[in-house]
Every structure is written in structure tokens, then in C-alpha cells.
Amino acid sequence: MLTDQRVSNRIAIIDVGSNSVRLVVFDGMTRAPAPIFNEKVMCGLGRDPENTGKLNPEGVEMAVTALRRFACLLRAMKIARVDTLATAAVRAASDGADFCARIHAETGLTVKVIDGLEEARLSALGIISGDPRATGIMGDIGGGSLELVLLEQGEIKKRVSVPLGAMRLHAVFDGDRARLEAEVKTHLDSIDWLHEGAGKPLIAVGGSWRSIAKLYIAQENYPISVVHNLAMPRAEIAELTHIISQQSRVSLDKIGGVSKRRIDSLPHAALVMNMLLGRMKAKEVVFSSHGLREGWMHEVLPEELRQRDPLLDACLSFAKDGERFHQHGEELFRWSAPIFRDQPENLERLRLAACIIGDVGWNEHPDYRAIQSYNRILHHPYLDLNHHDRVFLAYTIGSRYTGNFKGDESSNRLLDDETHATGRLFGHAIRLGHTLSGGVEGLLTNTALVLEEGKLVLQIHANASSLSGEVVDQRLAKLAKLMDRESEVRITDTL
């Protein structure tokens, strides 16, 4: 039973990284926690151009200022739990312990410094939190280090942390391409299991790598602006990273679509990805917005919550926040099941998700419900779906709200004709169910959909015969037509 297991207490995580200091407040201890507050300050703690082995003094002052602000906000928000994690820059710096002590003295925050292998494990858990069957090699590039984890069906098999952070490479090797490539090669050659990623995805985590995805989206006019789960074939991303790795700051600045604070280190991050792709012979790169913070959240969840489906829990939360009768989804899923037998597991999962959020556009103007709902799902940042399935789910809900939904031309290219037809059929079944019941839980149990030879029959128990009506007849007929069948409403004493 898909019931909402939300706990009201909010949780905050502060990530003190080599490049940025970020505060994220999650809405509660749920399987699919949504950030309700997210603020990042690019401090550059790990920027050490003179190789002092210490934290960047200017970055320290910026970080302290940011953390004072974060602590003040968290007190006002009355956050139940705050975890402050520090990674490569602080753990490697000779004055890292002094920095942590100062933060505690000035803000009350206790900084936990995690080592490289633990950082790798938590980042991998972040990927697993969104995809419990994740398979491939996860790479999390930060400012000071690169964490790599071999994943097999959601299990961590091998992990390593190497000093190939984009900021470090820029500081130490900028302008010396030969030494830079030699450094990357040396560390990648030391990892004897990268070949086990052959034919599997490189799951790319970290702001520098996400900047590559953002650049691609901007330059190619890609239809979905959400970076999370953007997949690029190996040949395409290999060419792109090769080009980026050879660009100057001036050239990248002219291109646009890249954060000004990441331009300096972006070519180094691109080079690392390019050389890593060659070593592991990846099938593709899948960019992820999940990482250490989501992994930390996943770890603190009770076991019963970790076992739940992140997509369906996100949809339940979505429905609870935005629908009139959010309990209706599972009933609608079971009611429509007789006309969708023997479907693949993933399609059934998507159909259930669509049933759960099938009323999400109820409070939009009737003329715009379809397109507004479609766009909300297409660009929703917290749905763990690949881009094909994201467009499919959006198209299904758009079809739920209008008889001949077209979708968006640029996004439509991600779906073939058969997939469009399936989404349209799902949408019209949901449309009929909502029309018949008014979206109210309990009424559909008085009715049943039955497939007969050349006919789709809506059976209605005699005690609920008043549920029938002209609009119901019209929408049943439309659904039947999509299935190449005739339609019939049949009042009966038994179901």
C-alpha cells in the first residue's frame, strides 16, 4: 500500500566543499525528500595557488561568513537536525582542524570531516537513493578530489578517492597540458578495476561535470532544462569534453551557459571525464544531481523507508501538496488494470505514477490544464526519471486533461509513435476514471472496466447507476476508439 510516510521534522545538511559551501534544508525524513531551501556560496576553500598546504585565507573568511548566516537561518527555521560535512579541502589542509574549531566557536556548528572513501560511499548512496538498481561507475568530481565507485544493481562493489579535483588541477597544472594529462593518467592507471565499467554508464556527479551538461543543454537547445538523468552517448560526450578541455577562459566565457566561477576549472574537469571515458569504455554518461547530501539523507532513513520507491513517494508528496483528493491514485490504478495486462514493469510503474498525480492540474484554468501540467512534470526537479520517461509521464498527464493533446514539438522527439500512443491511452483511462468518480476515493469500486470481443464495457453496479451520464459515455467512447473497440455502459447487479 502506497501511503504517505512523511515525518514532519525537517533536516538540514551543510556541505563544506573545496569550491563551495552549501546549505540544503530537506522537507522531512521521507524516501524522496525535496529541498525546501538551497543556498550555495562559492568560497574556493581549496584554491591554493601557492601550494601552501593550507586553506585559502580569503575562502576561509567567505566560508565563515556564509556559515554564520546559515546558522542564523537554521535557528529561525527551528530545524530539528543539522549535519555539517567537510570534504577534500578541509581534510587535506594543515589548518583544517583550526578551521573546524573556529566554525564551532563562532556558529555552534560541529563540522564532521569525512575521508575520501567515506565521501565516495556517501556519493554512491546518493545515486542509489534515486535508482536502487544503479549499475555503472559513479564519478563525483569536486574541487579537490575525484571519487569513483563501481556499482552493480544498487550495490557498492569497489571505491576509490584520487586527487583529481578540478580546482586542484587548475591550480597546480594550469598552462601545462603535458603535465596535466600525465597527472590524470597516473591516477587513473592506478585504478585496476575501471575496465569493469565497459558498456555501462559513467554516472557523473559534481558541479563541474554538471556544468558540462548545462553547456550542452544551452548550446543544443535541448528540450529539458533539468540536468538530472540527462544521458549522452559516449561518442557525443567524448567529442564535447575533448573540445571543452582545449578551450581558454575567454572562449568559454563567450560560449555562455557556464557559471563564471567554474570557467577556470571546467577544461580540467572535461579532460578528466574524457580520459575516464576512454579507460572504462563507458556506454554513455548519465548526469546526476544526487550525491553526498542525498546519500547522507538516505543513510539516516529508517530501513522501511529506504525500501520504498523514490518516484512513487515523490508523486505521493506531489499529489498531497497539489491535488484535491490525493488518495485516489492507487484505486484508479487498480480500476484501470484490466485494460493494461501484461505490460513491462517500468510501464506499470509509470502508469501508477500517472494515476497518483492525475489530478495535479485541477486548479489551473481549464484551457491551460493540459499544457501547464505537462510543463510542471517535464521540468519538475525532484522526479527520479530518465528524460524519456519524464517526457512520457508528462505527455500522459497532458493527455489526461484534453482529448487530443499534442505535447511540445521539441520534447516529442524523445518518444516514438508507439510510446506516444501508450501515453495517450494511459491518459484517457485516467481521464475517464476521474470523470466517473469526480476524483473521489471509493466510487470506482462500484464500477469495472471489462474487455470483450471488439468492445470496451464499463460495468456499473445498479446501486450506483446514477454515476452514468453523457460525459462519461463520451470519454468511454474516446478511450474505446483509441483501442479500436466499440464502447458500452452496462448496468448490472453484480461486478
Side-chain angles (χ1 to χ4, degrees):
M1 172 67 73
L2 288 169
T3 53
D4 192 347
Q5 298 289 324
R6 178 183 306 229
V7 176
S8 61
N9 290 338
R10 292 168 174 173
I11 296 175
I13 298 176
I14 299 174
D15 181 358
V16 182
S18 301
N19 202 20
S20 65
V21 175
R22 184 190 294 267
L23 165 64
V24 181
V25 179
F26 292 97
D27 63 351
M29 196 172 286
T30 69
R31 182 61 182 82
I36 60 171
F37 184 86
N38 189 331
E39 184 173 309
K40 175 180 68 176
V41 180
M42 303 294 284
C43 300
L45 278 172
R47 190 177 292 113
D48 183 18
E50 297 180 8
N51 271 334
T52 64
K54 295 184 177 183
L55 296 171
N56 174 16
E58 181 183 352
V60 167
E61 296 309 315
M62 290 180 67
V64 170
T65 299
L67 290 166
R68 283 199 203 103
R69 168 175 161 75
F70 291 168
C72 180
L73 290 173
L74 291 169
R75 286 192 293 271
M77 293 177 186
K78 297 181 172 57
I79 302 300
R81 173 172 177 167
V82 180
D83 292 310
T84 305
L85 310 178
T87 53
V90 176
R91 69 173 174 254
S94 60
D95 57 346
D98 293 339
F99 171 78
C100 293
R102 179 180 172 186
I103 293 304
H104 183 70
E106 296 190 26
T107 69
L109 297 168
T110 299
V111 181
K112 177 180 176 63
V113 182
I114 59 176
D115 64 33
L117 289 180
E118 177 67 356
E119 185 176 356
R121 187 183 72 86
L122 288 172
S123 293
L125 280 182
I127 298 302
I128 293 167
S129 73
D131 180 4
R133 299 177 184 176
T135 296
I137 291 181
M138 182 222 72
D140 183 357
I141 192 165
S145 63
L146 168 68
E147 282 66 49
L148 295 168
V149 179
L150 179 65
L151 293 169
E152 199 68 56
Q153 291 295 312
E155 292 187 10
I156 296 173
K157 296 298 185 180
K158 298 172 183 177
R159 54 189 164 131
V160 68
S161 178
V162 289
L164 294 179
M167 183 186 296
R168 174 184 173 270
L169 294 178
H170 169 66
V172 178
F173 301 101
D174 189 46
D176 193 335
R177 177 85 179 198
R179 285 184 61 223
L180 172 62
E181 290 185 2
E183 176 79 357
V184 177
K185 181 179 184 300
T186 296
H187 286 291
L188 293 184
D189 285 349
S190 71
I191 306 169
D192 61 7
W193 46 264
L194 287 181
H195 66 280
E196 296 183 47
K200 301 171 185 175
L202 168 62
I203 306 168
V205 177
S208 293
W209 280 352
R210 284 194 294 272
S211 291
I212 296 173
K214 290 176 182 176
L215 190 151
Y216 170 79
I217 288 170
Q219 295 303 306
E220 297 297 322
N221 198 25
Y222 186 77
I224 301 175
S225 59
V226 178
V227 168
H228 187 53
N229 282 334
L230 169 67
M232 292 182 63
R234 175 186 167 191
E236 193 170 353
I237 186 66
E239 180 181 6
L240 178 61
T241 51
H242 175 69
I243 292 171
I244 294 173
S245 71
Q246 297 183 317
Q247 300 302 303
S248 67
R249 177 186 178 91
V250 174
S251 298
L252 288 173
D253 201 20
K254 288 179 181 178
I255 293 173
V258 180
S259 166
K260 301 292 184 185
R261 289 185 174 269
R262 293 202 186 274
I263 285 180
D264 285 336
S265 59
L266 188 60
H268 307 81
L271 176 67
V272 172
M273 177 178 282
N274 186 273
M275 294 181 69
L276 179 57
L277 286 171
R279 289 295 189 286
M280 65 176 283
K281 294 180 170 55
K283 171 188 175 185
E284 61 185 359
V285 172
V286 177
F287 294 91
S288 179
S289 295
H290 287 186
L292 181 145
R293 293 179 297 275
E294 289 75 18
W296 184 268
M297 276 291 296
H298 189 69
E299 178 131 286
V300 302
L301 286 178
E303 178 63 24
E304 63 271 18
L305 287 184
R306 287 203 298 270
Q307 296 304 315
R308 293 167 65 87
D309 187 307
L311 170 64
L312 299 181
D313 265 29
C315 287
L316 282 168
S317 178
F318 198 1
K320 183 176 181 181
D321 292 341
E323 295 188 2
R324 295 168 295 179
F325 311 109
H326 71 274
Q327 306 93 339
H328 188 238
E330 276 193 282
E331 182 179 87
L332 184 55
F333 175 77
R334 292 190 298 269
W335 173 82
S336 56
I339 63 175
F340 298 115
R341 295 192 180 100
D342 302 321
Q343 289 194 321
E345 180 182 350
N346 187 52
L347 265 184
E348 282 291 271
R349 178 176 180 251
L350 290 171
R351 187 169 69 83
L352 176 52
C355 287
I356 293 170
I357 61 174
D359 195 36
V360 71
W362 73 270
N363 57 351
E364 302 286 353
H365 186 283
D367 292 347
Y368 300 102
R369 281 176 185 158
I371 193 63
Q372 294 282 44
S373 299
Y374 174 82
N375 283 326
R376 284 182 70 186
I377 296 163
L378 197 65
H379 302 292
H380 194 290
Y382 311 126
L383 294 178
D384 271 303
L385 289 167
N386 63 48
H387 284 197
H388 173 277
D389 289 351
R390 179 182 286 270
V391 176
F392 175 80
L393 183 60
Y395 182 77
T396 296
I397 299 303
S399 298
R400 172 262 184 272
Y401 279 112
T402 188
N404 191 28
F405 184 65
K406 300 297 184 184
D408 175 77
E409 184 176 347
S410 60
S411 301
N412 282 346
R413 71 190 195 208
L414 299 183
L415 306 181
D416 58 25
D417 290 343
E418 182 180 353
T419 308
H420 271 112
T422 301
R424 191 178 304 116
L425 197 61
F426 284 5
H428 280 270
I430 295 169
R431 182 173 172 84
L432 173 62
H434 274 278
T435 299
L436 184 60
S437 66
V440 180
E441 187 179 23
L443 291 181
L444 288 179
T445 57
N446 296 302
T447 72
L449 287 174
V450 178
L451 289 178
E452 295 182 355
E453 188 68 30
K455 185 181 290 187
L456 174 62
V457 178
L458 173 61
Q459 294 183 345
I460 303 178
H461 196 279
N463 292 337
S465 60
S466 56
L467 288 176
S468 182
E470 180 181 1
V471 180
V472 170
D473 292 349
Q474 291 173 352
R475 292 186 177 171
L476 175 66
K478 178 65 174 179
L479 177 61
K481 183 178 180 180
L482 292 174
M483 302 174 69
D484 294 322
R485 294 172 182 265
E486 298 296 321
S487 64
E488 178 186 339
V489 175
R490 186 178 299 164
I491 307 300
T492 179
D493 289 327
T494 58
L495 290 177

mmCIF file of all heavy atoms in Angstrom, residues 116-151:
data_model
loop_
_atom_site.group_PDB
_atom_site.id
_atom_site.type_symbol
_atom_site.label_atom_id
_atom_site.label_comp_id
_atom_site.label_asym_id
_atom_site.label_seq_id
_atom_site.Cartn_x
_atom_site.Cartn_y
_atom_site.Cartn_z
ATOM 1 N N GLY A 116 38.172 10.296 2.111
ATOM 2 C CA GLY A 116 37.840 10.116 0.707
ATOM 3 C C GLY A 116 36.971 8.908 0.430
ATOM 4 O O GLY A 116 36.029 8.972 -0.378
ATOM 5 N N LEU A 117 37.270 7.787 1.073
ATOM 6 C CA LEU A 117 36.471 6.579 0.833
ATOM 7 C C LEU A 117 35.052 6.734 1.362
ATOM 8 O O LEU A 117 34.096 6.233 0.756
ATOM 9 C CB LEU A 117 37.158 5.365 1.477
ATOM 10 C CG LEU A 117 38.446 4.890 0.800
ATOM 11 C CD1 LEU A 117 39.017 3.678 1.527
ATOM 12 C CD2 LEU A 117 38.201 4.564 -0.675
ATOM 13 N N GLU A 118 34.918 7.434 2.480
ATOM 14 C CA GLU A 118 33.569 7.680 3.010
ATOM 15 C C GLU A 118 32.809 8.639 2.108
ATOM 16 O O GLU A 118 31.603 8.478 1.883
ATOM 17 C CB GLU A 118 33.667 8.237 4.431
ATOM 18 C CG GLU A 118 32.326 8.601 5.074
ATOM 19 C CD GLU A 118 31.431 7.402 5.353
ATOM 20 O OE1 GLU A 118 31.783 6.262 4.986
ATOM 21 O OE2 GLU A 118 30.348 7.618 5.943
ATOM 22 N N GLU A 119 33.507 9.635 1.572
ATOM 23 C CA GLU A 119 32.869 10.542 0.626
ATOM 24 C C GLU A 119 32.388 9.778 -0.603
ATOM 25 O O GLU A 119 31.281 10.012 -1.111
ATOM 26 C CB GLU A 119 33.846 11.644 0.212
ATOM 27 C CG GLU A 119 33.216 12.696 -0.689
ATOM 28 C CD GLU A 119 34.174 13.834 -1.025
ATOM 29 O OE1 GLU A 119 35.304 13.857 -0.500
ATOM 30 O OE2 GLU A 119 33.770 14.706 -1.836
ATOM 31 N N ALA A 120 33.217 8.842 -1.082
ATOM 32 C CA ALA A 120 32.827 8.024 -2.234
ATOM 33 C C ALA A 120 31.588 7.191 -1.908
ATOM 34 O O ALA A 120 30.646 7.102 -2.710
ATOM 35 C CB ALA A 120 33.988 7.114 -2.634
ATOM 36 N N ARG A 121 31.573 6.591 -0.735
ATOM 37 C CA ARG A 121 30.435 5.745 -0.342
ATOM 38 C C ARG A 121 29.146 6.552 -0.249
ATOM 39 O O ARG A 121 28.093 6.141 -0.740
ATOM 40 C CB ARG A 121 30.728 5.067 1.002
ATOM 41 C CG ARG A 121 29.679 4.037 1.421
ATOM 42 C CD ARG A 121 30.002 3.471 2.791
ATOM 43 N NE ARG A 121 29.759 4.466 3.833
ATOM 44 C CZ ARG A 121 28.577 4.677 4.404
ATOM 45 N NH1 ARG A 121 27.515 4.004 4.027
ATOM 46 N NH2 ARG A 121 28.454 5.592 5.347
ATOM 47 N N LEU A 122 29.227 7.726 0.373
ATOM 48 C CA LEU A 122 28.026 8.541 0.537
ATOM 49 C C LEU A 122 27.518 9.063 -0.808
ATOM 50 O O LEU A 122 26.308 9.109 -1.047
ATOM 51 C CB LEU A 122 28.306 9.708 1.487
ATOM 52 C CG LEU A 122 28.476 9.337 2.963
ATOM 53 C CD1 LEU A 122 28.943 10.546 3.764
ATOM 54 C CD2 LEU A 122 27.174 8.782 3.543
ATOM 55 N N SER A 123 28.427 9.452 -1.690
ATOM 56 C CA SER A 123 28.002 9.909 -3.013
ATOM 57 C C SER A 123 27.316 8.786 -3.769
ATOM 58 O O SER A 123 26.300 8.998 -4.452
ATOM 59 C CB SER A 123 29.205 10.425 -3.808
ATOM 60 O OG SER A 123 29.723 11.601 -3.231
ATOM 61 N N ALA A 124 27.861 7.574 -3.651
ATOM 62 C CA ALA A 124 27.226 6.426 -4.309
ATOM 63 C C ALA A 124 25.855 6.143 -3.714
ATOM 64 O O ALA A 124 24.910 5.803 -4.445
ATOM 65 C CB ALA A 124 28.133 5.198 -4.183
ATOM 66 N N LEU A 125 25.719 6.279 -2.406
ATOM 67 C CA LEU A 125 24.403 6.102 -1.780
ATOM 68 C C LEU A 125 23.409 7.128 -2.305
ATOM 69 O O LEU A 125 22.210 6.851 -2.425
ATOM 70 C CB LEU A 125 24.510 6.221 -0.259
ATOM 71 C CG LEU A 125 25.007 4.999 0.505
ATOM 72 C CD1 LEU A 125 25.002 5.291 2.005
ATOM 73 C CD2 LEU A 125 24.148 3.772 0.213
ATOM 74 N N GLY A 126 23.917 8.331 -2.614
ATOM 75 C CA GLY A 126 23.046 9.339 -3.204
ATOM 76 C C GLY A 126 22.487 8.880 -4.535
ATOM 77 O O GLY A 126 21.315 9.100 -4.849
ATOM 78 N N ILE A 127 23.320 8.221 -5.362
ATOM 79 C CA ILE A 127 22.847 7.673 -6.628
ATOM 80 C C ILE A 127 21.852 6.555 -6.380
ATOM 81 O O ILE A 127 20.782 6.485 -7.009
ATOM 82 C CB ILE A 127 24.042 7.154 -7.456
ATOM 83 C CG1 ILE A 127 25.007 8.297 -7.788
ATOM 84 C CG2 ILE A 127 23.558 6.461 -8.728
ATOM 85 C CD1 ILE A 127 24.376 9.440 -8.556
ATOM 86 N N ILE A 128 22.160 5.673 -5.444
ATOM 87 C CA ILE A 128 21.282 4.544 -5.129
ATOM 88 C C ILE A 128 19.948 5.032 -4.586
ATOM 89 O O ILE A 128 18.899 4.410 -4.821
ATOM 90 C CB ILE A 128 21.985 3.605 -4.127
ATOM 91 C CG1 ILE A 128 23.192 2.944 -4.791
ATOM 92 C CG2 ILE A 128 21.026 2.555 -3.580
ATOM 93 C CD1 ILE A 128 24.128 2.243 -3.831
ATOM 94 N N SER A 129 19.948 6.168 -3.884
ATOM 95 C CA SER A 129 18.696 6.690 -3.337
ATOM 96 C C SER A 129 17.696 7.010 -4.437
ATOM 97 O O SER A 129 16.491 6.909 -4.251
ATOM 98 C CB SER A 129 18.955 7.943 -2.490
ATOM 99 O OG SER A 129 19.270 9.064 -3.305
ATOM 100 N N GLY A 130 18.209 7.405 -5.609
ATOM 101 C CA GLY A 130 17.325 7.697 -6.731
ATOM 102 C C GLY A 130 17.090 6.514 -7.631
ATOM 103 O O GLY A 130 16.053 6.411 -8.286
ATOM 104 N N ASP A 131 18.061 5.600 -7.698
ATOM 105 C CA ASP A 131 17.954 4.412 -8.546
ATOM 106 C C ASP A 131 18.484 3.214 -7.769
ATOM 107 O O ASP A 131 19.682 2.933 -7.769
ATOM 108 C CB ASP A 131 18.763 4.611 -9.836
ATOM 109 C CG ASP A 131 18.692 3.398 -10.756
ATOM 110 O OD1 ASP A 131 17.951 2.444 -10.432
ATOM 111 O OD2 ASP A 131 19.371 3.397 -11.799
ATOM 112 N N PRO A 132 17.591 2.481 -7.091
ATOM 113 C CA PRO A 132 18.026 1.359 -6.251
ATOM 114 C C PRO A 132 18.740 0.252 -7.007
ATOM 115 O O PRO A 132 19.372 -0.599 -6.395
ATOM 116 C CB PRO A 132 16.709 0.846 -5.650
ATOM 117 C CG PRO A 132 15.773 2.011 -5.716
ATOM 118 C CD PRO A 132 16.142 2.736 -6.972
ATOM 119 N N ARG A 133 18.670 0.256 -8.342
ATOM 120 C CA ARG A 133 19.354 -0.765 -9.138
ATOM 121 C C ARG A 133 20.506 -0.166 -9.952
ATOM 122 O O ARG A 133 20.917 -0.719 -10.976
ATOM 123 C CB ARG A 133 18.367 -1.442 -10.091
ATOM 124 C CG ARG A 133 17.226 -2.157 -9.366
ATOM 125 C CD ARG A 133 16.250 -2.750 -10.360
ATOM 126 N NE ARG A 133 15.104 -3.356 -9.700
ATOM 127 C CZ ARG A 133 14.066 -3.876 -10.345
ATOM 128 N NH1 ARG A 133 14.026 -3.842 -11.670
ATOM 129 N NH2 ARG A 133 13.065 -4.421 -9.677
ATOM 130 N N ALA A 134 21.026 0.941 -9.505
ATOM 131 C CA ALA A 134 22.065 1.648 -10.261
ATOM 132 C C ALA A 134 23.242 0.727 -10.571
ATOM 133 O O ALA A 134 23.746 0.009 -9.700
ATOM 134 C CB ALA A 134 22.542 2.861 -9.467
ATOM 135 N N THR A 135 23.673 0.773 -11.836
ATOM 136 C CA THR A 135 24.796 -0.040 -12.302
ATOM 137 C C THR A 135 25.700 0.831 -13.172
ATOM 138 O O THR A 135 25.214 1.582 -14.016
ATOM 139 C CB THR A 135 24.287 -1.242 -13.123
ATOM 140 O OG1 THR A 135 23.514 -2.109 -12.276
ATOM 141 C CG2 THR A 135 25.444 -2.033 -13.709
ATOM 142 N N GLY A 136 26.983 0.733 -12.942
ATOM 143 C CA GLY A 136 27.948 1.518 -13.694
ATOM 144 C C GLY A 136 29.042 2.013 -12.779
ATOM 145 O O GLY A 136 29.243 1.477 -11.688
ATOM 146 N N ILE A 137 29.758 3.017 -13.209
ATOM 147 C CA ILE A 137 30.764 3.654 -12.360
ATOM 148 C C ILE A 137 30.312 5.074 -12.063
ATOM 149 O O ILE A 137 30.063 5.854 -12.988
ATOM 150 C CB ILE A 137 32.149 3.653 -13.025
ATOM 151 C CG1 ILE A 137 32.706 2.233 -13.087
ATOM 152 C CG2 ILE A 137 33.108 4.558 -12.244
ATOM 153 C CD1 ILE A 137 34.091 2.118 -13.706
ATOM 154 N N MET A 138 30.152 5.360 -10.784
ATOM 155 C CA MET A 138 29.843 6.719 -10.374
ATOM 156 C C MET A 138 31.129 7.497 -10.205
ATOM 157 O O MET A 138 32.080 7.011 -9.577
ATOM 158 C CB MET A 138 29.076 6.727 -9.051
ATOM 159 C CG MET A 138 28.681 8.139 -8.601
ATOM 160 S SD MET A 138 28.903 8.446 -6.839
ATOM 161 C CE MET A 138 30.673 8.535 -6.683
ATOM 162 N N GLY A 139 31.172 8.680 -10.796
ATOM 163 C CA GLY A 139 32.303 9.567 -10.591
ATOM 164 C C GLY A 139 31.810 10.876 -10.011
ATOM 165 O O GLY A 139 30.924 11.509 -10.579
ATOM 166 N N ASP A 140 32.356 11.265 -8.872
ATOM 167 C CA ASP A 140 31.973 12.519 -8.214
ATOM 168 C C ASP A 140 33.201 13.416 -8.181
ATOM 169 O O ASP A 140 34.120 13.196 -7.392
ATOM 170 C CB ASP A 140 31.461 12.235 -6.799
ATOM 171 C CG ASP A 140 30.977 13.501 -6.089
ATOM 172 O OD1 ASP A 140 31.097 14.595 -6.675
ATOM 173 O OD2 ASP A 140 30.475 13.393 -4.954
ATOM 174 N N ILE A 141 33.213 14.431 -9.058
ATOM 175 C CA ILE A 141 34.359 15.329 -9.113
ATOM 176 C C ILE A 141 34.065 16.584 -8.298
ATOM 177 O O ILE A 141 33.042 17.231 -8.461
ATOM 178 C CB ILE A 141 34.725 15.695 -10.571
ATOM 179 C CG1 ILE A 141 36.090 16.384 -10.609
ATOM 180 C CG2 ILE A 141 33.650 16.547 -11.231
ATOM 181 C CD1 ILE A 141 36.690 16.464 -11.995
ATOM 182 N N GLY A 142 34.945 16.871 -7.381
ATOM 183 C CA GLY A 142 34.833 18.092 -6.589
ATOM 184 C C GLY A 142 35.991 19.016 -6.916
ATOM 185 O O GLY A 142 36.660 18.877 -7.942
ATOM 186 N N GLY A 143 36.232 19.961 -6.021
ATOM 187 C CA GLY A 143 37.336 20.876 -6.248
ATOM 188 C C GLY A 143 38.682 20.241 -5.959
ATOM 189 O O GLY A 143 39.676 20.534 -6.618
ATOM 190 N N GLY A 144 38.724 19.332 -4.951
ATOM 191 C CA GLY A 144 39.997 18.764 -4.535
ATOM 192 C C GLY A 144 40.205 17.312 -4.873
ATOM 193 O O GLY A 144 41.345 16.835 -4.913
ATOM 194 N N SER A 145 39.126 16.570 -5.119
ATOM 195 C CA SER A 145 39.283 15.134 -5.325
ATOM 196 C C SER A 145 38.225 14.594 -6.278
ATOM 197 O O SER A 145 37.221 15.258 -6.571
ATOM 198 C CB SER A 145 39.201 14.387 -3.986
ATOM 199 O OG SER A 145 37.916 14.566 -3.394
ATOM 200 N N LEU A 146 38.478 13.391 -6.753
ATOM 201 C CA LEU A 146 37.535 12.643 -7.582
ATOM 202 C C LEU A 146 37.286 11.315 -6.891
ATOM 203 O O LEU A 146 38.226 10.566 -6.597
ATOM 204 C CB LEU A 146 38.124 12.400 -8.980
ATOM 205 C CG LEU A 146 37.376 11.397 -9.874
ATOM 206 C CD1 LEU A 146 36.017 11.947 -10.297
ATOM 207 C CD2 LEU A 146 38.219 11.041 -11.102
ATOM 208 N N GLU A 147 36.010 11.027 -6.627
ATOM 209 C CA GLU A 147 35.630 9.747 -6.041
ATOM 210 C C GLU A 147 35.010 8.869 -7.122
ATOM 211 O O GLU A 147 34.157 9.343 -7.885
ATOM 212 C CB GLU A 147 34.634 9.926 -4.897
ATOM 213 C CG GLU A 147 35.244 10.382 -3.587
ATOM 214 C CD GLU A 147 35.830 11.795 -3.645
ATOM 215 O OE1 GLU A 147 35.126 12.696 -4.119
ATOM 216 O OE2 GLU A 147 36.996 11.981 -3.253
ATOM 217 N N LEU A 148 35.443 7.621 -7.200
ATOM 218 C CA LEU A 148 34.916 6.669 -8.175
ATOM 219 C C LEU A 148 34.400 5.443 -7.432
ATOM 220 O O LEU A 148 35.068 4.933 -6.518
ATOM 221 C CB LEU A 148 36.010 6.255 -9.166
ATOM 222 C CG LEU A 148 36.551 7.376 -10.071
ATOM 223 C CD1 LEU A 148 37.805 6.920 -10.793
ATOM 224 C CD2 LEU A 148 35.489 7.817 -11.070
ATOM 225 N N VAL A 149 33.219 4.980 -7.843
ATOM 226 C CA VAL A 149 32.595 3.828 -7.193
ATOM 227 C C VAL A 149 32.016 2.912 -8.261
ATOM 228 O O VAL A 149 31.282 3.366 -9.150
ATOM 229 C CB VAL A 149 31.465 4.260 -6.232
ATOM 230 C CG1 VAL A 149 30.810 3.037 -5.581
ATOM 231 C CG2 VAL A 149 32.007 5.198 -5.158
ATOM 232 N N LEU A 150 32.340 1.632 -8.181
ATOM 233 C CA LEU A 150 31.747 0.633 -9.064
ATOM 234 C C LEU A 150 30.441 0.160 -8.436
ATOM 235 O O LEU A 150 30.428 -0.355 -7.304
ATOM 236 C CB LEU A 150 32.708 -0.544 -9.252
ATOM 237 C CG LEU A 150 32.203 -1.682 -10.145
ATOM 238 C CD1 LEU A 150 32.015 -1.206 -11.588
ATOM 239 C CD2 LEU A 150 33.159 -2.877 -10.098
ATOM 240 N N LEU A 151 29.342 0.346 -9.161
ATOM 241 C CA LEU A 151 28.011 -0.038 -8.690
ATOM 242 C C LEU A 151 27.476 -1.193 -9.524
ATOM 243 O O LEU A 151 27.605 -1.191 -10.753
ATOM 244 C CB LEU A 151 27.044 1.145 -8.790
ATOM 245 C CG LEU A 151 27.303 2.331 -7.863
ATOM 246 C CD1 LEU A 151 26.445 3.524 -8.274
ATOM 247 C CD2 LEU A 151 27.004 1.944 -6.427
#
